[in-house]
Amino acid sequence: MITLRRATEREHDRRRKYEVWRTFPVQNHSRALDAGFGDLEGLNESQLAPGGCVQSHSQHAAQLITYVREGTVACKDLSGRSCRIHAGEFQQMTVARGVHPVGMNPSASNSARVFQIWLHARPGDHEPSQEQKRFSTAQRRGVLCVIASRDGRKGSLRVAQDVLMHSALLGPGQHVVHELSQGRRAWLHLVEGEITLGDLVLSTGDGAGVTTDRAVSITAREVTEILLLDLREPAASGAESA
């Protein structure tokens, strides 16, 4: 089963120096997917004008993965020191309830395009951690490159959640398949381009949740970039504390 969230269905907030598109809206959870997709609670795309800031918030502890696709974002690490995330770099950070990490575009002339992925943190997942890595175009071209994982496999960022996050850069006609184990689901986000997913065509900004299929089969129709998250199925009620 595939559940779609089209780019035009995202929550859009436009201010003077930034725009943000939220795949899973912060408030008014009135539609399917509005409250997230399992452990995936948020997926925001922000466009920052020179000097623009992106501010995020968490109602509880969470793991935040930030991906800068274009430009540079200046931010503060867990110790309060200044740091920068450049294009092609990913950063993971454990965020406690009430913490508001802020990223700013320090450029005087160039815009920045930033993606933020929020993962639900369970009891025991609250140990502060932060890590930042660059994944080159060569590493991601034509393959599903592991960006984040619980065990830090293949040099990926280490996160507390049972999740595998991939990034891929595909040329026209290139095909990739990701197998899903029993009890797993996937969320696919189109950063740029156009693909076919089964009988569906997805374009820039579209997202799709795959729940009952045992594989995610993707073919690029043009130059394309995707993010793919392999997540565990939500626990049955009461099982979380068992």
Side-chain angles (χ1 to χ4, degrees):
M1 178 179 175
I2 298 175
T3 306
L4 290 178
R5 171 57 53 88
R6 293 294 186 183
T8 53
E9 297 175 324
R10 296 179 296 176
E11 181 180 87
H12 182 210
D13 184 6
R14 183 171 186 172
R15 305 295 174 93
R16 188 170 68 90
K17 286 197 172 185
Y18 79 85
E19 284 186 85
V20 60
W21 295 264
R22 301 182 182 94
T23 297
F24 309 109
V26 176
Q27 298 176 338
N28 301 324
H29 296 165
S30 59
R31 302 171 297 167
L33 295 178
D34 279 3
F37 185 75
D39 282 345
L40 177 60
E41 292 191 339
L43 200 164
N44 300 346
E45 175 185 354
S46 299
Q47 190 78 23
L48 306 181
C53 293
V54 57
Q55 183 167 349
S56 301
H57 65 275
S58 177
Q59 297 179 355
H60 48 73
Q63 191 114 40
L64 171 63
I65 300 176
T66 301
Y67 167 42
V68 176
R69 187 177 189 271
E70 300 168 12
T72 298
V73 170
C75 55
K76 292 187 182 296
D77 63 18
L78 290 176
S79 64
R81 294 175 298 188
S82 297
C83 63
R84 293 198 175 198
I85 312 172
H86 301 282
E89 292 183 335
F90 293 75
Q91 181 197 78
Q92 72 81 11
M93 179 185 292
T94 303
V95 182
R97 179 179 181 178
V99 173
H100 295 249
V102 176
M104 184 193 76
N105 178 7
S107 174
S109 57
N110 298 319
S111 63
R113 189 177 175 198
V114 186
F115 290 83
Q116 292 182 308
I117 296 94
W118 293 86
L119 300 172
H120 178 63
R122 293 178 173 78
D125 291 346
H126 300 174
E127 283 297 318
S129 68
Q130 182 175 328
E131 190 179 10
Q132 183 172 320
K133 290 188 177 182
R134 176 177 177 79
F135 295 87
S136 68
T137 297
Q139 288 175 283
R140 297 184 284 150
R141 184 180 289 123
V143 297
L144 289 166
C145 174
V146 183
I147 299 297
S149 64
R150 193 166 196 169
D151 56 7
R153 70 186 64 178
K154 298 182 179 180
S156 60
L157 299 172
R158 190 181 294 270
V159 295
Q161 290 77 9
D162 184 7
V163 61
L164 277 172
M165 177 175 165
H166 303 83
S167 171
L169 303 171
L170 306 174
Q174 282 193 309
H175 179 69
V176 291
V177 177
H178 178 69
E179 302 287 343
L180 288 172
S181 302
Q182 190 68 30
R184 307 293 295 184
R185 54 170 48 191
W187 184 266
L188 173 67
H189 183 78
L190 262 288
V191 174
E192 195 78 34
E194 187 173 272
I195 64 163
T196 56
L197 176 67
D199 297 329
L200 300 169
V201 176
L202 276 67
S203 302
T204 301
D206 287 349
V210 180
T211 50
T212 57
D213 297 2
R214 296 275 55 90
V216 184
S217 180
I218 301 160
T219 302
R221 293 163 61 101
E222 58 185 52
V223 175
T224 293
E225 179 176 356
I226 63 171
L227 296 174
L228 178 67
L229 288 97
D230 181 321
L231 307 147
R232 70 174 189 171
E233 289 284 355
S237 179
E240 195 66 39
S241 57

